[in-house]
Each structure stands twice: as structure tokens, then as C-alpha cells.
Amino acid sequence: MDRFKIAVIGAGDMGGNHVRGWISAGHHVVSVTDTDKIRADKLALRYNVGAVYGDYKEAIDDPQVDIVSVCLPLVLHAPVTVYAAGRGKHIFCEKPLASSREAAEDMQRAVELAGVRFGIGFQRNFSEGVGLVRQWADEGRFGSPLVFSSDLMQEVRPKIAMHDARGNQGPVVDACCHYFLMWQTVFGSKPKKVYASGRILGKDRPEIAHFEELAVDTAVITVEYESGDIGTMNVSWGLAKKSPIRGRPDRIYGPKGGAEGPFNSFGRSTVSFELYEGSSTATVTVEQPDLFSKQFTIFAEAVREGKPAPVGFRQGLDMLRLSHAVLESAKTGNIVHLD
Ligand SMILES: NC(=O)c1ccc[n+]([C@@H]2O[C@H](COP(=O)([O-])OP(=O)(O)OC[C@H]3O[C@@H](n4cnc5c(N)ncnc54)[C@H](O)[C@@H]3O)[C@@H](O)[C@H]2O)c1
């Protein structure tokens, strides 16, 4: 097996997961970069990484680097990807793909011109739960059409940049993409139309008052698919501090049965789901591998074999388009057609 040399850019929450995931997938993390030197030093020390940079260009310019792993705020995904592609490096970038369709197209153009591989961090879609529920749906255990209901509830994020409409763009862009990809995977179909309502529950919170424009932090979303299936989601990052309100487990149902559970969860080694068929109930418990290690193993194989990464621009662009359609519907009150 080729052991690739990785530069991880961004030493925050995802930076830590990437360093650990690349190492556990058998690769060599050669540097960590962050403008926050203390953070970068701490992460490098923890995993015995040899070099620390403050400037991503220096890290990417290192001739030994094969793959650049991007764990930065959304607005930086495009410039760092374009720079890395220009230096002939393969890129693995965290989701969401980019802050706009134009920025995403710049990234794709640079990657295609350089002939490098590009992967995106939808690790949650590799979870055992998504695989199982897709299999059950394919086997016709639930019948058709299907309704997939997801729920995500959190207090106003301590990582306040998530609430900046010009930064990470709130949960509709930053978090719902995981659920939209899960629905698309399980339905095996593309979204046809979207309607949504949005609010800013955290609008009076002083810690985010300085942002010029606050992102929608709460939405009720309905997506209809070409297959006739429906995805529906309640999402909020606007709850009170320490609120005990929690998101409910995912639920999928059709005329013959359904299932419930945290299908695309990560960070747990075992996960349980309820499977309902007719009037019967069964609990299904599965072991879950480290999803970061799994996604990097799959991406490294694509790099090694010179083939497109199985999860890349196509999924990134689809999710971005759907998230932006949700925001447009919430803003205008109109149904947004995606075909
Ligand atoms: N796949 C997932 O499940 C998942 C989960 C959380 C976050 N994310 C995504 O990962 C990305 C990063 O999120 P995070 O939670 O790690 O954020 P974070 O704020 O914890 O970390 C980002 C880091 O980037 C650094 N940084 C900012 N500007 C920089 C620059 N110019 N050069 C170098 N470093 C710079 C910051 O100092 C910070 O340490 C986002 O796109 C987010 O949506 C993905």
C-alpha cells in the first residue's frame, strides 16, 4: 500500500479528526497548519507531527506533500483548494463544498485542470446505519413511497462563526447537508422541489449580535424527490443555553414498515436501530468503524488508482444546491423547483 504524505490545514475540531483519521488509515501526516499557533502546536504534539505552519501556502508548497486535507472555515475552502490544485496536490476538503456555486465551480475548474483527485468530508454517509436503512428500503421492507424525517436541535453554537450568514451560513448549509445526502442515498433519487420556513431564534443573543447578517438558525424543511419519496427536517441552532431539548432519532417509514435510530451518527462504536415490519419490532445493533479512517481509506484508494473519488464534487454541488434552495424558499415563501 502507498503511504501518502498529508498536510492538514486547520487545527480545530475537524483538524483533530483528520489527523487521527489519516494516521489510523495508515498514512503519514507531515504537517499541521493553523493561524492559531498554540492550537497547531498542541495538535502536532499530540500526534507527533513533524512540522507546524501558520501559512497554508508554506505547508502546501512542501514538495513531499501528496494530499492536502482542508479543515478550515467555509470561505477558505475555495482559495485553499485552488492553491493546492495549482501545486499539483490532491485535495480532501471538509463539507460543505464552498460558500457559493461560483466558488465551487472555481474549485472544480482548478482540480480538473490540474488532473488531481478531490474528495469531500461526508464521512457520516459511510455509517453502518445509512447502509442498513438503504438496504432495507431497497429490499422493499418499508414499501413505497417513503418519508424520511430527521431532526437536529442545538443551542446557539459556542462556535459563533457558524451563525455568520457570510461565514459558515448556519445549519441549513453547514449541517443539513449530511441529512440531505443520507436521504438522497437511501431514496436513490434526486430532489425535485423544496419548501421551507426559516427563522432566527438567536436574533437577540449578544454573542452573535456583531455579525452584519445572521444566518437562518432554525428551519422546517420539506424536500420532494423524483421517486415520490419525501425528506423532512426540523433543525435549530437557536435553542437557549444548556437547553435540554434534543433532536429525535431519524425515522423512515412507508406503507409496509419503517425504522428509527441515529442512522448517520458518528463517533460511537456500536449503534442500535428499531426495525418495524407490519406489526413486529426488532432491535438491530451494529458495530461502527471509525468513519474518518474509512473515508480516508476510500479516498486514498481513488488517488492510488487514479480514479475519481466516489464522494466529491457531484455530491458537494448537489448538497450546496439543495441547501441554497431551502434558504431561498425560506426567504421568499415560494416552492423552489430543482429540475
Ligand atoms: N464532517 C463533519 O462531520 C464536520 C463536523 C464539523 C465541522 N465540519 C466542517 O469542517 C470545517 C472546519 O470546521 P471546524 O469545526 O473544525 O472549525 P474550527 O473553528 O474548530 O477550526 C477551524 C480552524 O481553522 C483555523 N483557521 C482559520 N483561518 C485560517 C487560515 N487562513 N489559515 C490557517 N488556519 C486557519 C482556525 O484558527 C481554526 O483553528 C468546516 O467546513 C465545517 O463545516 C465538518
Side-chain angles (χ1 to χ4, degrees):
M1 184 196 89
D2 292 323
R3 192 164 179 248
F4 292 116
K5 297 200 171 63
I6 319 292
V8 173
I9 317 289
D13 289 334
M14 276 303 115
N17 281 315
H18 278 221
V19 173
R20 196 200 67 246
W22 279 114
I23 292 171
S24 93
H27 300 282
H28 183 194
V29 177
V30 294
S31 65
V32 168
T33 299
D34 204 294
T35 42
D36 181 334
K37 174 119 180 26
I38 297 174
R39 243 182 198 192
D41 281 340
K42 204 169 150 194
L43 183 58
L45 189 67
R46 180 164 177 206
Y47 291 99
N48 201 21
V49 175
V52 170
Y53 299 98
D55 177 350
Y56 69 78
K57 292 183 179 169
E58 274 185 61
I60 294 170
D61 286 346
D62 176 353
Q64 66 172 327
V65 168
D66 303 301
I67 297 171
V68 175
S69 213
V70 182
C71 308
L72 292 169
L74 185 56
V75 290
L76 291 167
H77 291 188
V80 175
T81 296
V82 169
Y83 187 83
R87 295 293 176 282
K89 312 291 176 167
H90 305 290
I91 299 126
F92 191 93
C93 181
E94 262 310 327
K95 53 46 62 179
L97 180 56
S99 39
S100 66
R101 176 151 198 108
E102 295 70 34
E105 283 167 359
D106 287 347
M107 292 163 81
Q108 190 165 15
R109 214 173 297 116
V111 161
E112 285 175 2
L113 189 69
V116 293
R117 308 270 84 85
F118 178 87
I120 186 165
F122 285 122
Q123 85 287 353
R124 295 174 62 170
N125 217 47
F126 288 122
S127 65
E128 296 298 303
V130 174
L132 261 184
V133 82
R134 181 184 184 170
Q135 182 195 321
W136 291 333
D138 285 351
E139 289 167 356
R141 290 183 183 217
F142 308 146
S144 167
L146 295 167
V147 177
F148 208 141
S149 161
S150 298
D151 203 70
L152 177 68
M153 295 284 143
Q154 277 179 267
E155 61 181 276
V156 167
R157 298 285 306 272
K159 201 178 285 183
I160 58 171
M162 292 289 170
H163 291 269
D164 183 356
R166 293 168 196 184
N168 279 58
Q169 304 182 9
V172 172
V173 171
D174 191 83
C176 291
C177 52
H178 286 298
Y179 297 88
F180 296 158
L181 184 56
M182 172 168 68
W183 299 346
Q184 182 162 316
T185 304
V186 171
F187 296 156
S189 179
K190 289 269 188 163
K192 196 170 78 172
K193 62 180 178 182
V194 175
Y195 33 107
S197 303
R199 297 288 184 272
I200 306 175
L201 268 55
K203 64 183 183 335
D204 299 323
R205 292 282 289 266
E207 65 269 43
I208 52 175
H210 61 286
F211 288 125
E212 222 164 286
E213 194 188 341
L214 282 175
V216 165
D217 65 23
T218 300
V220 178
I221 302 166
T222 304
V223 185
E224 289 192 22
Y225 286 77
E226 285 166 359
S227 55
D229 302 317
I230 300 170
T232 163
M233 173 136 205
N234 276 273
V235 60
S236 184
W237 282 355
L239 301 183
K241 257 187 195 147
K242 301 201 169 127
S243 169
I245 299 174
R246 294 279 174 276
R248 287 178 288 106
D250 297 308
R251 176 197 286 163
I252 184 168
Y253 61 91
K256 288 164 66 179
E260 276 181 303
F263 296 120
N264 67 355
S265 63
F266 70 105
R268 318 172 187 203
S269 52
T270 53
V271 204
S272 292
F273 312 105
E274 299 302 313
L275 172 63
Y276 309 113
E277 290 182 276
S279 60
S280 73
T281 303
T283 302
V284 178
T285 302
V286 291
E287 305 270 314
Q288 176 112 294
D290 177 341
L291 297 181
F292 288 94
S293 177
K294 186 171 174 180
Q295 77 172 355
F296 294 139
T297 299
I298 291 168
F299 181 67
E301 193 179 308
V303 171
R304 198 175 301 121
E305 294 178 5
K307 59 183 192 194
V311 186
F313 281 113
R314 190 167 54 79
Q315 293 82 354
L317 283 163
D318 279 355
M319 297 315 116
L320 199 60
R321 185 159 174 249
L322 183 49
S323 298
H324 287 166
V326 167
L327 291 176
E328 187 188 332
S329 177
K331 190 170 169 186
T332 61
N334 295 331
I335 293 174
V336 177
H337 294 266
L338 288 143
D339 36 24

